[in-house]
Amino acid sequence: MSIKNKREQVTAEHVMLVALLALSAVFLIEPIVSDYPDDARVFPQLMASVVLVGSLLLLVRNYLPEPLYTVVGESINITTSDTASEAEEELSEREKEIEAETEPKQTLAREYGYDVNDTVFMMAAATLYFFAGWAAGFLFVTPLFVYGYTTWFRVRPAIGIGLAVLSTVIVYLFIEFLILPLDQGAIFDFSPFLPVAFDPVPFVIGVL
Amino acid sequence: MIVETLIGTHRILQLEPFAEGLSIAVSWPVIGWMVVGLLLGIVLGALPGIGSPVGMAIVLPLTLPLDATSAIILLASIYSGAMFGGSIAAILINAPGTESAAATTLDGYPMAKNGLAKNALAIATTASALNGFLAAIVLVLISPVLIGVVLAFGSPEYFLLAILGISLITIVTQGSIIKGLVAGALGFMISTIGTGILSPTPRFTFGQFGLYDGISFVAALIGMFAFAEMMKLAAQTRIAESDVELTGSIKKGVMTVFKYPKTTIKAGVIGMVIGMIPGSGATTSTFVAYAEEARSSAKDGFFGEGDPRGVIAPEGANNPTVSGSLVPTLSFGIPGSGSTAVLLGGLLMHGLQPGPTLFGDQLHITYALFISLFLGNIVIVLVGLSVIPYASRITELDTDVIIPVVVVLSFIGAYTLNQNWYDVGAVLVLGVLGFYMVRYNYSVIAFVLGIVLGPIAEENFFRSLQISGGSYDIFFDPVNRPLSFALSLATLLILIGPFLKPYLERVVDRA
């Protein structure tokens, strides 16, 4: 088998298992390196050992001998009866039919002829929102995130603007009532602009 | 005779905490939170892809300003309401709002296609609420038995119970046992980040002060249930709008449930019993109830084509599963499903410890919760039957509108807990992990159980070792600790049993 073929066989599960292997190795080694006392060391090391051995077995399960492969790779389900399994299969077939009938979502990228995976976009947008929120404060980046997200998925602009306003008001209520510094970022502090931007909000809340 | 009976009832029901629980459950604002929770649950359950764990995970940090009883009743009401709400989308658009409503689509949607949408929705409402109502009564009646069992447990038993819970989850949920064990152990491992429980040693913090308090289990719940679910939802194609007319008769639908009392009661029993098994949840119970009804009524049934019994069975099982799953959650801290895992998180967040305390000093809170479930089912009937004419509107909400709002609430909610950016980061990282765990069939519930119960398990593990002078024999001693021995043996049998079963069957056949 060529290297290219092998590379194609690598799935996100393999990446996840390698990450778990690395993480469990850290949990095994760090207590020794930093000389943790016994009562702080044994439990995490015990659990890390289970993760390490389990992940390793799962990673190489296709190369294991038959009896061991049965233990590692095969699914066990004790609660679902045969009839229940049949019902689940029927449902799964129906879902496939519905999926085949539905059209892919309209996105900004697809309109311009690019195909960006929807989950990847959602994950990237949320990650950007997290870092921007940390740097400049959630209050100021929330409307940008919500409006940007809805625009990408071609939600009607009026709904997008409405949601952006609603989300920003929610964040503002957290600041007002739970006294959270969500208007201050770790790098940029736009909080001095807050009284100007949100002057009418306490009035509206008071009226409501 | 009458006096003896009264004394017996007093002993059985523990009337004082029961009366206190009743006064709490019907007091303001507790009853208000119950109604809010039910309405929220019905709406969240009706939105395809959202469901109770997502809704409960988002609401969880927002309950911080509430008192413990109101918070728990709010969360349990969302859970109960979502069980019914899920059936709306299942019946009208053939896309279950919650996984537990998946079995309802099998006959609910064909009924709607046959012009009986209102009947199907009324059957779902009545069966779900009626059995939920009966299950809440059973829950109150069996609680004295639970008290006795719970009080028999000590430190080694609680540690072993957490391990047994994870082992059970690994075999109850589909997937390989090793995957389940890895998920559970990973949860335990992550829970050890931060200052040590028994000695103030910072563990795996790498000099970051933000990690000294560890990763909040509430952030983990939000990440695993809310954020991961939104990632899944982002990839889904648009769900078709309802193509069925909202016709039929609500009254006839209600009467149909009473026409099949055996089906209704049987579904309730199945729901409650399966709910008590950790990890199984309403998805399993509804399919088993449906399958059992299809099997026993095969002669005159037309299942899959709109048989009303095909709606009664899953809907009659879903709400009793809520009551059933509270048994292991409240008595031993072992959640039965994703929703009860979030509920367990709520209990711990508000300083309520599952186990002896909830069935001792805080028994009134437990009873208040049971009574709220009981009252909640009356609300479900009233609300459920009156929303039927407008039910299709809830399902029309676009998921692309929901996702950004849920992401904002998830991040803000996680930050609210400790004003710690690491908790917000944990939502993101564990959300991605949860997404891939679900995709590759790793038990998310086992992981969540590990992360929620980690500190309790570690503390009991060390207490046990302190009792035994460092010897691990305390977990396997049949003479001095028979309960520990039984739990260890049960864990071992659960893990190796499924693999030994074919060999044992062969031996029996030969004999």
Side-chain angles (χ1 to χ4, degrees):
Chain A
M1 194 185 285
S2 71
I3 293 171
K4 195 184 167 194
N5 282 344
K6 278 189 176 175
R7 203 180 291 165
E8 278 169 4
Q9 282 181 355
V10 174
T11 63
E13 187 186 13
H14 292 113
V15 177
M16 186 175 84
L17 287 170
V18 170
L20 293 187
L21 272 176
L23 189 68
S24 54
V26 170
F27 273 70
L28 278 170
I29 297 163
E30 166 66 9
I32 301 164
V33 173
S34 300
D35 200 19
Y36 290 179
D38 274 358
D39 57 14
R41 180 183 60 81
V42 175
F43 190 75
Q45 281 190 327
L46 197 68
M47 294 304 142
S49 310
V50 176
V51 176
L52 187 94
V53 174
S55 306
L56 198 64
L57 284 171
L58 286 165
L59 202 59
V60 299
R61 62 180 177 264
N62 291 335
Y63 306 100
L64 293 173
E66 184 53 37
L68 199 54
Y69 175 80
T70 315
V71 178
V72 177
E74 283 190 5
S75 291
I76 298 294
N77 186 7
I78 57 157
T79 52
T80 311
S81 62
D82 287 346
T83 338
S85 302
E86 278 169 25
E88 281 179 64
E89 272 169 31
E90 193 186 321
L91 196 73
S92 165
E93 275 171 27
R94 272 201 206 178
E95 277 170 3
K96 277 177 196 161
E97 279 171 25
I98 294 167
E99 201 139 303
E101 284 169 13
T102 49
E103 292 172 10
K105 279 179 183 177
Q106 265 305 315
T107 63
L108 200 63
R110 285 193 188 111
E111 271 187 19
Y112 287 94
Y114 298 99
D115 195 21
V116 179
N117 183 294
D118 294 334
T119 306
V120 172
F121 173 77
M122 185 264 169
M123 207 166 77
T127 309
L128 195 66
Y129 173 53
F130 164 66
F131 283 111
W134 167 78
F138 270 129
L139 183 71
F140 303 102
V141 297
T142 294
L144 298 175
F145 164 71
V146 176
Y147 186 69
Y149 188 91
T150 49
T151 305
W152 179 270
F153 284 102
R154 311 311 284 151
V155 174
R156 276 192 289 152
I159 296 175
I161 292 169
L163 275 183
V165 172
L166 175 76
S167 309
T168 313
V169 170
I170 291 172
V171 178
Y172 181 77
L173 292 176
F174 272 78
I175 297 170
E176 273 291 301
F177 293 108
L178 298 175
I179 327 288
L180 296 173
L182 293 167
D183 53 339
Q184 293 159 30
I187 299 174
F188 308 105
D189 185 6
F190 295 122
S191 58
F193 300 110
L194 186 62
V196 183
F198 281 85
D199 250 353
V201 174
F203 172 73
V204 174
I205 293 166
V207 169
L208 287 173
Chain B
M1 180 71 183
I2 295 168
V3 174
E4 272 176 22
T5 313
L6 281 173
I7 291 168
T9 313
H10 184 275
R11 273 190 196 138
I12 286 168
L13 264 183
Q14 304 232 8
L15 283 181
E16 273 167 38
F18 183 81
E20 205 180 332
L22 181 65
S23 69
I24 292 171
V26 296
S27 67
W28 186 261
V30 176
I31 200 158
W33 289 119
M34 182 196 79
V35 176
V36 168
L38 283 168
L39 295 177
L40 202 59
I42 292 173
V43 174
L44 290 170
L47 296 172
I50 304 291
S52 55
V54 178
M56 289 168 75
I58 298 166
V59 171
L60 185 54
L62 307 182
T63 64
L64 269 172
L66 301 183
D67 65 283
T69 318
S70 298
I72 299 310
I73 286 173
L74 173 71
L75 292 169
S77 301
I78 295 176
Y79 185 17
S80 187
M83 282 293 158
F84 157 67
S87 64
I88 296 175
I91 290 166
L92 295 182
I93 58 171
N94 201 19
T98 56
E99 276 188 17
S100 59
T104 307
T105 61
L106 291 166
D107 277 282
Y109 184 64
M111 271 187 85
K113 289 278 255 185
N114 296 340
L116 297 170
K118 281 186 180 176
N119 298 52
L121 286 168
I123 289 172
T125 312
T126 315
S128 182
L130 179 71
N131 275 356
F133 188 79
L134 296 173
I137 296 173
V138 174
L139 203 54
V140 171
L141 292 175
I142 63 168
S143 54
V145 181
L146 292 175
I147 296 166
V149 175
V150 168
L151 293 176
F153 279 64
S155 283
E157 288 80 16
Y158 270 105
F159 167 69
L160 288 168
L161 204 62
I163 304 294
L164 178 71
I166 287 182
S167 310
L168 258 174
I169 287 168
T170 61
I171 63 156
V172 172
T173 48
Q174 287 183 336
S176 91
I177 283 183
I178 299 291
K179 283 183 178 180
L181 288 178
V182 167
L186 181 66
F188 277 138
M189 205 174 91
I190 302 286
S191 78
T192 62
I193 295 173
T195 309
I197 295 167
L198 296 148
S199 61
T201 312
R203 298 184 292 185
F204 315 107
T205 55
F206 304 102
Q208 299 295 311
F209 286 110
L211 286 174
Y212 273 48
D213 285 336
I215 304 286
S216 162
F217 64 80
V218 181
L221 289 168
I222 297 172
M224 279 283 156
F225 291 117
F227 194 82
E229 199 60 35
M230 290 308 106
M231 282 179 70
K232 202 172 122 192
L233 212 58
Q236 278 177 9
T237 46
R238 279 194 207 287
I239 290 154
E241 282 180 16
S242 178
D243 58 347
V244 296
E245 291 279 321
L246 207 55
T247 52
S249 161
I250 295 173
K251 197 180 164 190
K252 279 184 185 167
V254 174
M255 295 315 292
T256 309
V257 176
F258 296 99
K259 206 176 132 191
Y260 298 105
K262 203 175 146 194
T263 307
T264 312
I265 300 293
K266 193 164 62 178
V269 172
I270 290 172
M272 188 144 190
V273 171
I274 291 183
M276 289 181 193
I277 304 168
S280 50
T283 313
T284 309
S285 71
T286 49
F287 269 106
V288 172
Y290 179 87
E292 169 51 27
E293 192 52 36
R295 186 198 60 77
S296 60
S297 308
K299 278 182 191 168
D300 61 336
F302 48 101
F303 291 90
E305 294 165 29
D307 193 314
R309 285 168 294 183
V311 180
I312 296 173
E315 288 300 315
N318 64 19
N319 239 332
T321 311
V322 176
S323 299
S325 64
L326 287 179
V327 172
T329 309
L330 299 180
S331 23
F332 305 113
I334 308 290
S337 61
S339 303
T340 37
V342 183
L343 190 69
L344 175 65
L347 288 168
L348 297 173
M349 195 177 90
H350 286 279
L352 300 174
Q353 285 287 339
T357 329
L358 269 183
F359 285 89
D361 296 344
Q362 294 169 340
L363 187 60
H364 57 286
I365 296 178
T366 310
Y367 275 138
L369 177 60
F370 294 169
I371 294 162
S372 292
L373 283 179
F374 176 82
L375 297 174
N377 285 293
I378 300 171
V379 180
I380 288 180
V381 173
L382 296 175
V383 174
L385 293 179
S386 44
V387 298
I388 286 174
Y390 320 100
S392 58
R393 287 191 195 162
I394 308 173
T395 60
E396 284 166 13
L397 203 56
D398 191 349
T399 48
D400 292 327
V401 167
I402 301 163
I403 293 169
V405 179
V406 171
V407 171
V408 171
L409 285 172
S410 301
F411 284 5
I412 307 296
Y415 186 76
T416 308
L417 300 166
N418 302 309
Q419 297 188 25
N420 186 346
W421 285 99
Y422 281 94
D423 284 338
V424 189
V427 169
L428 196 66
V429 174
L430 295 178
V432 175
L433 178 70
F435 173 75
Y436 285 105
M437 280 175 76
V438 171
R439 177 182 271 191
Y440 293 107
N441 225 1
Y442 288 75
S443 172
V444 168
I445 300 173
F447 176 82
V448 163
L449 185 60
I451 216 162
V452 173
L453 289 185
I456 301 170
E458 187 178 4
E459 198 182 340
N460 284 309
F461 174 71
F462 261 97
R463 271 197 202 146
S464 312
L465 291 183
Q466 279 169 348
I467 293 168
S468 68
S471 167
Y472 287 86
D473 289 350
I474 194 166
F475 301 119
F476 313 100
D477 185 352
V479 181
N480 298 314
R481 304 222 60 121
L483 197 53
S484 289
F485 177 74
L487 287 168
S488 300
L489 194 67
T491 307
L492 197 69
L493 284 174
I494 281 166
L495 292 178
I496 63 165
F499 302 106
L500 290 180
K501 202 177 150 197
Y503 297 103
L504 289 173
E505 278 173 354
R506 236 176 284 161
V507 171
V508 171
D509 283 348
R510 266 184 221 156

